[in-house]
């Protein structure tokens, strides 16, 4: 009986791998020792996510024929020092989170996709339209150590991810343009709170890439609005970039900007 229970999951796994066009498991484990010294107190300990977020990623694709492809992406953040998983915000409310009590939650991404030559449909918890302007496309340090724009402290809590979302991503148009349209639902007692809309316009031609994005989430304290712009230009081993964001909720507004340079020096980089 023991041999039966051990072999059965292996058989199921083999069957799944054969049925899928592609099944991928990947991720990052980031753990560090840190020492903090402050006024009248100092301490040492372990930390997670000092250079990159610790995460587990499961992705799969299935070829349905006639140019149609289905897929999924599940991504869970966790704390490598404690072995616990990250909580997730509920119904797109910036300060309302669900504790996982150490259990797994796909807080970073959980989407189902359907793709054909006319574009891609996405459903689930996904990146906000404004997220890409914080990545390595425009910030040399990406969303990591030395980040130029503090999105975590922004007035818009949905500047990075949105839940209960539906999105359409266009194919490349005229060899240089593409766009993303997205809507997300609040699904609370009052569906208007936590629901929102956004879009991102991408332009890429030769050595230049530019993006403009807009997102709005309706909240009880007033709509939280993001307006982002990013541009980069590459030549040889050098990339220059800039980004700008304007955030607003009610009468409270904030702005941020970044100018960056990335220079590759063999196997190394200067940022």
């Amino acid at each position: 009986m023991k041999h039966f229970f051990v072999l059965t999951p292996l058989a199921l796994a083999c069957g799944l791998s054969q049925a899928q066009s592609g099944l991928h498991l990947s991720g990052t484990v980031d753990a560090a020792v840190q020492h903090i010294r402050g006024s009248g107190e100092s301490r040492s300990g372990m930390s997670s996510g000092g250079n990159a977020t610790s995460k587990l990623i499961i992705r799969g694709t299935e070829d349905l024929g006639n140019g149609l492809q289905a897929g999924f992406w599940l991504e869970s953040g966790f704390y490598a020092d404690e072995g616990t998983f990250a909580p997730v915000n509920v119904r797109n409310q910036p300060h309302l989170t669900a504790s996982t009590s150490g259990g797994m939650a796909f807080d970073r991404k959980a989407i189902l996709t359907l793709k054909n030559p006319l574009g891609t449909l996405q459903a689930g918890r996904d990146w906000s339209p404004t997220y890409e302007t914080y990545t390595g496309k425009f910030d040399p340090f990406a969303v990591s150590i030395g980040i130029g724009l503090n999105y975590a402290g922004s007035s818009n809590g949905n500047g990075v991810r949105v839940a209960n979302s539906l999105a359409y991503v266009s194919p490349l148009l005229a060899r240089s343009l593409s766009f993303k349209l997205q809507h997300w639902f609040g699904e609370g007692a009052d569906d208007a709170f936590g629901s929102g809309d956004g879009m991102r316009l991408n332009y890429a031609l030769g050595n230049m890439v530019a993006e403009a994005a807009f997102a709005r989430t309706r909240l009880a304290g007033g709509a939280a609005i993001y307006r982002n712009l990013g541009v980069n230009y590459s030549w040889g081993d050098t990339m220059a970039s800039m980004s700008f964001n304007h955030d607003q909720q009610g009468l409270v507004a904030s702005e941020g900007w970044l100018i960056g340079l990335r220079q590759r020096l063999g196997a190394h980089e200067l940022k």
Side-chain angles (χ1 to χ4, degrees):
M1 293 298 292
K2 290 183 179 179
H3 290 290
F4 173 80
F5 284 112
V6 169
L7 292 175
T8 299
L10 295 178
L12 291 174
C14 291
L16 179 62
S17 296
Q18 292 173 356
Q20 296 285 340
S21 297
L23 185 61
H24 308 277
L25 179 65
S26 61
T28 303
V29 180
D30 184 308
V33 177
Q34 66 177 6
H35 178 77
I36 302 174
R37 177 177 295 178
S39 178
E41 183 181 358
S42 64
R43 61 181 179 178
S44 299
M46 294 290 298
S47 67
S48 177
N51 184 62
T53 302
S54 295
K55 54 188 174 290
L56 176 66
I57 303 172
I58 306 170
R59 293 183 295 145
T61 58
E62 177 77 31
D63 188 355
L64 303 179
N66 297 320
L68 188 62
Q69 184 184 76
F72 68 89
W73 184 314
L74 303 175
E75 185 170 338
S76 178
F78 63 92
Y79 304 110
D81 54 339
E82 295 282 357
T84 56
F85 287 88
V88 57
N89 70 313
V90 180
R91 300 188 301 276
N92 298 315
Q93 304 296 313
H95 306 296
L96 180 62
T97 60
S99 175
T100 62
S101 300
M104 177 178 286
F106 294 110
D107 60 301
R108 295 179 59 81
K109 183 177 283 194
I111 62 170
L112 182 66
T113 63
L114 197 61
K115 180 179 180 180
N116 71 7
L118 298 179
T120 304
L121 295 177
Q122 300 174 333
R125 181 174 177 82
D126 197 6
W127 301 118
S128 164
T130 58
Y131 170 74
E132 278 201 7
T133 55
Y134 295 120
T135 66
K137 277 187 177 182
F138 308 105
D139 185 339
F141 295 95
V143 188
S144 186
I145 289 177
I147 183 170
L149 296 179
N150 185 14
Y151 74 89
S154 167
S155 59
N156 185 348
N158 303 114
V160 180
R161 298 178 183 85
V162 289
N164 312 312
S165 76
L166 293 173
Y168 168 75
V169 182
S170 78
L172 195 62
L173 306 173
R175 297 186 296 178
S176 59
L177 293 171
S178 63
F179 64 90
K180 178 179 184 179
L181 302 176
Q182 194 168 1
H183 176 78
W184 45 96
F185 301 88
E187 297 188 355
D190 187 336
D191 289 343
F193 296 151
S195 64
D197 309 274
M199 67 174 296
R200 185 182 71 238
L201 179 64
N202 304 69
Y203 175 82
L205 184 63
N207 297 335
M208 189 180 78
V209 176
E211 291 188 2
F214 172 85
R216 178 183 61 183
T217 301
R218 287 169 282 277
L219 301 171
I225 301 173
Y226 246 11
R227 300 176 181 90
N228 289 26
L229 176 67
V231 179
N232 77 45
Y233 186 85
S234 301
W235 65 98
D237 293 329
T238 306
M239 184 186 81
S241 60
M242 65 81 62
S243 62
F244 172 81
N245 72 301
H246 178 87
D247 313 329
Q248 184 174 351
Q249 183 173 5
L251 299 177
V252 179
S254 60
E255 293 183 348
W257 59 271
L258 173 148
I259 296 176
L261 183 70
R262 178 185 299 172
Q263 177 67 52
R264 291 189 180 182
L265 303 173
H268 307 280
E269 280 191 340
L270 177 65
K271 300 178 181 181

